[in-house]
Amino acid sequence: MTVKELHKLMIDWGKFWASKEGLQGYARASVTERCCQVLRTGIWASSDKHLFSHHADQMFVPAWIAKLDSCMAELPPAQRRVINRRYIKAVRLNSTERIALWHAQTAILSVY
């Protein structure tokens, strides 16, 4: 595998995890406000159940993504952070971060 192929693979990897990080929405009232409403009215009703995802344990992760995740688990935290910033958060990296990214990609290529 070449560095260009790894870069394309990591772009797809980042898009996958970025889509999983997206919020499902916000509740109209905070938890504290909801507790106060229950105490005032004595009625417990929840209309925002659709905003919470209870399926995180059942999430399907493709094998190639799991393999990349396991390779990245062996990297130092600084390199994992820069990969996260570049590919999941889509942040423009400064020159020091780009060097750390190159080192991380080299380490991934050596074990992938």
Side-chain angles (χ1 to χ4, degrees):
M1 174 178 284
T2 66
V3 174
K4 284 186 177 185
E5 292 170 340
L6 177 65
H7 176 70
K8 289 178 184 177
L9 191 66
M10 290 181 74
I11 287 173
D12 292 337
W13 171 86
K15 287 178 182 177
F16 174 82
W17 285 119
S19 72
K20 302 301 180 199
E21 279 189 352
L23 296 174
Q24 300 295 320
Y26 296 99
R28 290 181 180 218
S30 69
V31 173
T32 307
E33 176 60 28
R34 291 187 50 111
C35 290
C36 291
Q37 288 174 358
V38 169
L39 292 173
R40 276 189 299 238
T41 63
I43 300 171
W44 178 260
S46 178
S47 63
D48 58 352
K49 286 185 180 180
H50 66 282
L51 296 177
F52 302 102
S53 174
H54 302 287
H55 304 290
D57 295 335
Q58 300 170 357
M59 181 174 59
F60 172 73
V61 178
W64 65 273
I65 290 181
K67 185 175 180 182
L68 264 178
D69 286 342
S70 67
C71 292
M72 288 180 208
E74 299 175 14
L75 296 176
Q79 290 180 350
R80 285 188 297 214
R81 257 191 315 275
V82 77
I83 287 173
N84 185 351
R85 286 175 48 82
R86 170 62 180 92
Y87 292 107
I88 296 175
K89 305 291 185 195
V91 174
R92 183 171 221 159
L93 303 178
N94 62 33
S95 58
T96 306
E97 291 172 325
R98 280 191 300 234
I99 292 170
L101 181 64
W102 295 334
H103 286 287
Q105 289 173 334
T106 304
I108 291 170
L109 280 173
S110 68
V111 294
Y112 189 76

